[in-house]
Amino acid sequence: MPLELETGTDDMLGRLLAMVLGVAGVVAGSQAPNFTTHYMQNLEGRIDELGRIVRSIDSDRESIGYTREMAAETCAGTNEPLFKTDCVRNETIIARFEKLVASQMALRNASDLMRPIVLARTHDVEIAENTAKEFEIAVPVTPDAAAYGGGLGAGLWAIFRVIFGILGAPFRRRYA
């Protein structure tokens, strides 16, 4: 005889799991605004550091009469290994600096509510990982945190409620 669950037990378990996952979503989602603030602080430090290096590179180039564009053209036309290596390194530093500055501007121009979404689209993996290492979960009380927490919590609850409902359907008793 197949194993039969008591009527409603499987549905109750699905509801409970969906609720637990929904609450976990509330907690996780509410962290987004605070994490974004920490990321932006970390980003600003990286930009400051790279900015000093980029200004030094530009200053060295200007001292011999080169602009960034002229240096890039000269670098593209050289085959001398040491010079080529320096060119690639400098261009990589400048490109990263410009990318981070663009990301910072996008984050600054976004509303408080939109910043976590902009961060998700423009984040730098290294900075995000370092931010996550230092980030401490806290109980936020801002409207933005409530919006993200409530949104993620409700979304996860609804998704898992549907999934558990579908998975539990074959085990429900049918009454005539």
Side-chain angles (χ1 to χ4, degrees):
M1 177 173 204
L3 176 67
E4 292 185 21
L5 296 175
E6 185 179 316
T7 304
T9 303
D10 57 335
D11 191 43
M12 188 171 34
L13 182 60
R15 287 181 186 183
L16 177 64
L17 288 172
M19 182 63 71
V20 168
L21 291 168
V23 170
V26 168
V27 172
S30 68
Q31 302 304 307
N34 195 28
F35 181 85
T36 301
T37 299
H38 285 279
Y39 176 91
M40 289 176 67
Q41 291 168 346
N42 198 337
L43 176 64
E44 187 169 336
R46 299 291 176 97
I47 288 172
D48 288 346
E49 179 183 352
L50 284 175
R52 286 189 295 276
I53 295 169
V54 168
R55 284 189 298 278
S56 175
I57 291 169
D58 286 343
S59 176
D60 290 346
R61 289 175 175 178
E62 288 171 8
S63 72
I64 56 173
Y66 278 76
T67 63
R68 278 190 196 174
E69 294 76 23
M70 292 168 61
E73 288 174 19
T74 302
C75 287
T78 187
N79 289 324
E80 199 281 312
L82 179 61
F83 189 61
K84 191 73 161 178
T85 301
D86 284 347
C87 288
V88 169
R89 184 187 67 243
N90 289 342
E91 294 309 315
T92 301
I93 290 169
I94 291 169
R96 178 165 165 75
F97 173 74
E98 290 174 345
K99 178 184 174 227
L100 295 181
V101 167
S103 177
Q104 182 184 47
M105 292 309 301
L107 287 164
R108 282 184 178 170
N109 291 332
S111 68
D112 290 343
L113 192 60
M114 289 301 296
R115 277 192 186 124
I117 294 169
V118 172
L119 174 62
R121 286 186 281 172
T122 65
H123 73 281
D124 178 86
V125 174
E126 181 184 339
I127 296 174
E129 287 173 352
N130 287 333
T131 302
K133 286 177 189 173
E134 300 298 321
F135 185 72
E136 293 182 13
I137 294 177
V139 177
V141 292
T142 64
D144 298 333
Y148 277 96
L152 185 59
L156 285 176
W157 173 82
I159 289 168
F160 285 105
R161 185 70 186 103
V162 169
I163 290 171
F164 294 140
I166 292 168
L167 292 174
F171 302 103
R172 288 192 193 101
R173 287 189 185 171
R174 307 273 185 239
Y175 293 100

